[in-house]
Amino acid sequence: MDAKERMKIPRHKMPEQKPEERRKNFNEVPFGYPEDIAMEEAQRCLQCKKPSCMKGCPVEVNIPAFIKLVAEGHHWEAIKKIKETNSLPAVCGRVCPQESQCESMCIVGKKGEPVAVGRLERFAADFERKAGKAAKPDLAPPSGKKVAVVGSGPAGLTVAGDLARMGHKVIIFEALHKAGGVLVYGIPEFRLPKEIVQAEVDSLVDLGIELQLNEVIGKADTLDELLQNGFDAIFVGTGAGAPIFMNIPGENLIGVYSANEYLTRSNLMKAYLFPQYDTPIIKSNVVAVIGGGNVAMDSARTALRLGAKEVNIIYRRSKDEMPARAEEVHHAEEEGIIFNLLTNPIRYIGDEKGKVIAVECQKMELGEPDQSGRRRPVPIVGSEYIKEVDTVIVAIGNGPNPLIPNTTPDLQLNRKGNIVASLDTCKTSKRGVFAGGDIVRGAATVILAMGDGKVAARSIDAYLKDPAWWDRPAPEPQPEKKKE
Ligand SMILES: Cc1cc2nc3c(=O)[nH]c(=O)nc-3n(C[C@H](O)[C@H](O)[C@H](O)COP(=O)(O)OP(=O)(O)OC[C@H]3O[C@@H](n4cnc5c(N)ncnc54)[C@H](O)[C@@H]3O)c2cc1C
Ligand code: SF4
């Protein structure tokens, strides 16, 4: 097939559950490509000599090579190819913002719709899981060096996988009772099933990585104690798990949740299976979710599935400025979530028992762009109104987990409390300690956290081979990012 014929093949949609069905269940929304469709979609790739798509992939997947293997029906080889650089392909194929990463740079996208790189990655990863065995990468001989990875989110899992491949002994310490970080406690089942994360964690454990769950570093051992007790290096990937509130009246009323608490209760502690699981969650009728990012969409769609009759997103800018993935906004709209745009809450109102019964909102208009490049929301005086609600979920952002910074005085932090680390090396101000993912960047994305994991693994390997490496380039200051 020549390039012209390939360009004529339309991008394939992924079959998915109908909105009226899926709004009542927690099953995954898209079903994934069947084999024939995946192979046809893979034919759309032009096999560019200088593949621009790869420039948009922080974990350096050899995109044309794996797509060619799918097109030829060599799916096992395709997943092996992906796993040469990506330890979490089933995760990336589902939640990675491909539209603004690899796919945004695909050459086919210049004239039409880009090749569905993410959906093909998901297909290859699902093929492996359905085959019931894992494609195991080659491991270097044991180096005799030992590395502690703190946190088992995408950053920690990636650094651990790469270091294990390089022959180093890795122990991951995770505060929660399940590995995966936001992938398990934040992102809901209908977007990323827990068994899929677990399968990817299992295949990392298969490489010899040790996983110590329920281990809170900073409470159990400090970083200094880990370094004194035989670890040659440490990677800190503790994420941004601390909720941020707006500091408006009524935020401590019963029924006002942080998105973190709400989603953790539902996801990780299976509150939606109450009373089989002893983790109650509020029974809602009318819900207000504050924010416009992925976390807000996940909270709103979770509330709907938990039985709420009406779920409102309240977002202070317009739809164009929403940080959530376009696909997730679309899914939420299809499911009947109501979008109150250019609207901001100014206080929550409670009853005599301290339970939230309403939210007072104010309408906004867009002014000049602010430092984030997005137009600043400006309140419209006199536009205040009251909306009756019985549950509020605040999803306006997350801050860094403070425990490790608090117990490691010589770790340099920025003014928001994030660890300062060079984005080129993940090196921190403390010798032998590297950091990446949300604890450094602030709330970002899975693929950026994984990209940091890869960078850190290379740096740690260089440091373990030659400790003088540490003294060469100085850590650069971490640029601060503005986020909703
Ligand atoms: C609801 C929600 C939806 C999202 N949706 C998307 C999406 O669709 N696409 C996307 O790309 N990104 C999404 N994100 C963002 C993405 O999940 C994060 O950017 C990413 O998970 C960051 O990875 P991380 O490894 O840095 O940290 P995390 O995933 O936060 O993992 C950190 C881990 O460290 C553990 N930990 C913390 N402190 C300690 C300690 N002291 N000792 C031991 N362990 C500790 C935590 O328990 C946690 O397991 C979403 C985030 C949320 C909250
Ligand atoms: S840029 Fe697009 S067409 Fe070219 S190799 Fe990458 S996925 Fe294929």
Side-chain angles (χ1 to χ4, degrees):
M1 204 186 286
D2 64 17
K4 248 190 177 164
E5 283 168 321
R6 288 180 195 276
M7 296 285 281
K8 275 193 201 141
I9 308 172
R11 178 174 158 119
H12 291 82
K13 284 208 165 71
M14 216 170 9
E16 58 185 30
Q17 278 197 75
K18 290 197 177 74
E20 53 282 12
E21 281 164 21
R22 67 182 196 239
R23 67 202 297 278
K24 291 184 231 132
N25 69 54
F26 275 83
N27 301 336
E28 196 174 8
V29 171
F31 296 127
Y33 280 153
E35 185 181 13
D36 53 336
I37 301 291
M39 288 173 69
E40 210 173 283
E41 179 65 32
Q43 304 278 355
R44 300 181 67 229
C45 173
L46 303 176
Q47 294 297 311
C48 308
K49 288 228 164 54
K50 286 189 184 156
S52 47
C53 54
M54 284 182 67
K55 292 190 197 122
C57 178
V59 294
E60 301 154 19
V61 170
N62 189 336
I63 294 170
F66 104 76
I67 293 185
K68 185 167 192 282
L69 289 163
V70 173
E72 290 166 351
H74 303 310
H75 310 318
W76 189 250
E77 277 65 34
I79 187 63
K80 275 176 80 177
K81 180 57 69 189
I82 298 171
K83 280 191 150 183
E84 283 173 7
T85 62
N86 184 350
S87 301
L88 307 170
V91 168
C92 289
R94 285 171 165 81
V95 299
C96 200
Q98 295 106 11
E99 64 280 6
S100 53
Q101 300 273 345
C102 52
E103 292 181 13
S104 73
M105 301 202 182
C106 169
I107 200 83
V108 178
K110 300 233 181 294
K111 286 211 170 140
E113 286 197 276
V115 176
V117 180
R119 294 172 188 177
L120 290 172
E121 186 175 28
R122 171 187 165 145
F123 166 78
D126 289 355
F127 176 85
E128 178 196 34
R129 211 179 47 265
K130 283 178 200 151
K133 51 181 182 157
K136 207 169 167 173
D138 299 330
L139 305 185
S143 67
K145 301 285 183 190
K146 201 162 93 169
V147 182
V149 170
V150 186
S152 66
L157 293 175
T158 301
V159 76
D162 282 14
L163 287 170
R165 277 197 279 264
M166 293 166 179
H168 307 301
K169 175 74 195 157
V170 182
I171 300 182
I172 302 181
F173 297 97
E174 168 53 53
L176 296 173
H177 61 277
K178 256 204 174 315
V182 171
L183 307 178
V184 290
Y185 77 73
I187 303 181
E189 188 76 9
F190 53 83
R191 276 214 298 134
L192 182 60
K194 309 281 166 269
E195 66 164 305
I196 282 164
V197 182
Q198 192 58 48
E200 301 215 313
V201 170
D202 289 346
S203 64
L204 287 171
V205 170
D206 241 25
L207 305 181
I209 294 166
E210 211 176 296
L211 196 53
Q212 291 199 13
L213 301 173
N214 301 308
E215 193 87 25
V216 186
I217 299 302
K219 269 218 165 32
D221 282 321
T222 61
L223 296 192
D224 285 310
E225 283 164 340
L226 289 175
L227 289 171
Q228 282 151 21
N229 295 338
F231 285 99
D232 300 290
I234 301 176
F235 175 79
V236 181
T238 46
I244 292 174
F245 283 92
M246 289 170 68
N247 292 325
I248 57 174
E251 278 177 336
N252 55 0
L253 289 168
I254 300 165
V256 179
Y257 286 86
S258 73
N260 269 42
E261 185 191 347
Y262 190 80
L263 289 172
T264 305
R265 276 181 186 237
S266 170
N267 282 331
L268 194 56
M269 300 164 88
K270 297 201 165 63
Y272 66 92
L273 292 180
F274 184 77
Q276 285 120 289
Y277 283 79
D278 194 12
T279 315
I281 201 158
I282 202 159
K283 261 214 146 315
S284 311
N285 198 21
V286 182
V287 180
V289 177
I290 318 300
N294 286 320
V295 186
M297 297 308 133
D298 284 348
S299 303
R301 297 171 72 200
T302 296
L304 193 74
R305 283 158 173 79
L306 287 173
K309 296 208 171 50
E310 183 190 310
V311 183
N312 296 271
I313 291 272
I314 297 182
Y315 179 58
R316 63 190 184 140
R317 301 183 204 244
S318 76
K319 203 165 151 191
D320 288 346
E321 288 87 24
M322 275 195 159
R325 291 187 64 196
E327 182 178 320
E328 302 313 332
V329 175
H330 173 66
H331 277 147
E333 279 175 330
E334 278 186 337
E335 287 166 15
I337 306 289
I338 300 163
F339 283 72
N340 302 264
L341 301 170
L342 290 165
T343 307
N344 210 24
I346 49 176
R347 71 177 169 123
Y348 303 113
I349 301 161
D351 64 10
E352 64 291 348
K353 291 188 188 133
K355 196 175 171 321
V356 70
I357 51 166
V359 50
E360 182 171 0
C361 297
Q362 186 170 35
K363 297 299 284 178
M364 314 290 276
E365 59 192 351
L366 291 179
E368 292 303 307
D370 62 15
Q371 283 153 307
S372 75
R374 295 174 302 172
R375 291 179 65 193
R376 185 192 300 275
V378 182
I380 303 175
V381 179
S383 65
E384 298 79 6
Y385 69 96
I386 291 189
K387 164 92 187 146
E388 284 181 20
V389 296
D390 55 16
T391 308
V392 173
I393 306 169
V394 182
I396 57 159
N398 292 305
N401 274 308
L403 196 56
I404 290 194
N406 287 349
T407 52
T408 321
D410 47 347
L411 206 53
Q412 198 191 333
L413 307 180
N414 68 15
R415 92 189 142 75
K416 287 183 178 166
N418 294 99
I419 296 176
V420 174
S422 154
L423 291 181
D424 294 334
T425 58
C426 292
K427 198 162 114 174
T428 68
S429 58
K430 187 174 171 66
R431 195 177 183 90
V433 177
F434 298 78
D438 283 5
I439 186 66
V440 170
R441 293 175 179 270
T445 61
V446 169
I447 198 69
L448 288 176
M450 290 178 66
D452 288 350
K454 287 205 91 60
V455 168
R458 261 182 222 137
S459 302
I460 293 172
D461 184 56
Y463 170 64
L464 294 179
K465 284 180 176 145
D466 173 16
W469 174 92
W470 189 271
D471 304 305
R472 283 170 207 148
E476 294 152 14
Q478 160 68 25
E480 287 185 14
K481 204 170 52 121
K482 295 274 171 292
K483 271 229 116 189
E484 190 78 358

